[in-house]
């Protein structure tokens, strides 16, 4: 492997690992005591949606139903994370918990499976395994809205009047939390399919 290629691979891996933990190259440089040169180039402190071979780091489903890791100029339907398909679009508006459940019920099924709200178990797994920044990188690659900076309804009830909410601050496990919320409050909705 040539020196230049080795250094590029090392840099990409470092950026990826830093981003998984909510850090940037600037954070790393500060701890290392290095001065970062402002070059005006595109920032490299974000996770790349593509691997070094040009494939997507997470599989996707396109609007025509095809599933692939190859980036194509097609409409994105959703991104696969831990055996589920998280849709690429939110509900058109914020909804109460009951409205959110009804919204999911009116979506078409895929492989005979209905749409659901995000589930606490799959969301915990995605956060714990640092999939959320990578999921958001793939969504952004296709021009879709990431799951960031908002409060998202989860499927599970806390009581008759409250349900769980994912309070997503910046997509990192350390700054996101599950909180109970009154069901009549309006929050963001993203559907998921367990395929």
């Amino acid at each position: 492997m040539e020196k230049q290629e080795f250094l590029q691979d090392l840099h990409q891996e470092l950026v990826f690992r830093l981003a998984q933990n909510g850090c940037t190259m600037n954070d790393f440089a500060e701890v290392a005591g290095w001065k970062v040169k402002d070059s005006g180039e595109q920032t490299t402190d974000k996770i790349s949606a593509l691997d070094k071979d040009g494939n997507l780091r997470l599989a996707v489903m396109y609007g025509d139903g095809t599933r692939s890791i190859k980036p194509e100029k097609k409409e994105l339907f959703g991104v696969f994370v831990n055996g589920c398909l998280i849709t690429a679009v939110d509900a058109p508006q914020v909804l109460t918990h009951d409205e959110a459940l009804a919204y999911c019920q009116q979506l078409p099924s895929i492989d005979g499976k209905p749409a659901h709200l995000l589930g606490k178990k799959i969301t915990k797994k995605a956060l714990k395994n640092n999939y959320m920044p990578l999921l958001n990188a793939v969504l952004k690659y296709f021009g879709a809205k990431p799951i960031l900076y908002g409060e998202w309804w989860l499927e599970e009830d806390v009581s008759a009047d409250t349900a769980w909410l994912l309070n997503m601050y910046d997509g990192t496990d350390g700054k996101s939390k599950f909180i109970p919320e009154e069901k009549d409050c309006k929050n963001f909705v993203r559907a998921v399919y367990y395929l």
Side-chain angles (χ1 to χ4, degrees), residues 61 76-80 84-91 103-104 107-108 110 115-116 118 135 139 144-145 147 189-193:
M61 178 184 280
L76 179 69
F77 182 83
V79 180
F80 288 95
C84 71
L85 179 70
I86 298 175
T87 57
V89 297
D90 302 332
Y103 167 78
C104 289
L107 292 173
I110 296 176
H116 295 271
L118 289 168
L135 166 66
L139 289 167
K145 182 182 173 190
I147 301 178
V189 174
R190 181 80 58 124
V192 62
Y193 290 86

Side-chain angles (χ1 to χ4, degrees), residues 3-120:
K3 180 179 179 182
Q4 183 72 16
E5 187 181 339
F6 168 76
L7 291 173
Q8 286 172 341
D9 286 350
L10 184 62
H11 177 260
Q12 187 176 11
E13 180 67 20
L14 178 59
V15 169
F16 177 73
R17 286 184 184 234
L18 287 169
Q20 281 184 315
N21 292 289
C23 301
T24 67
M25 287 295 285
N26 288 346
D27 296 328
F28 181 76
E30 185 179 323
V31 170
W34 300 339
K35 238 182 188 175
V36 178
K37 196 165 62 172
D38 185 13
S39 65
E41 292 176 17
Q42 186 178 6
T43 57
T44 58
D45 59 353
K46 296 180 181 174
I47 293 178
S48 173
L50 304 176
D51 65 18
K52 65 181 180 176
D53 297 323
N55 294 318
L56 294 163
R57 292 182 180 272
L58 292 173
V60 298
M61 178 184 280
Y62 293 107
D64 63 5
T66 58
R67 302 163 195 207
S68 180
I69 60 166
K70 300 284 184 200
E72 298 181 36
K73 292 186 180 189
K74 294 182 180 181
E75 178 187 4
L76 179 69
F77 182 83
V79 180
F80 288 95
V81 176
N82 280 329
C84 71
L85 179 70
I86 298 175
T87 57
V89 297
D90 302 332
Q93 61 205 19
V94 291
L95 302 169
T96 66
H97 194 256
D98 288 341
E99 292 169 339
L101 292 170
Y103 167 78
C104 289
Q105 288 174 352
Q106 57 91 29
L107 292 173
S109 63
I110 296 176
D111 297 343
K113 308 276 176 93
H116 295 271
L117 291 175
L118 289 168
K120 196 172 180 185

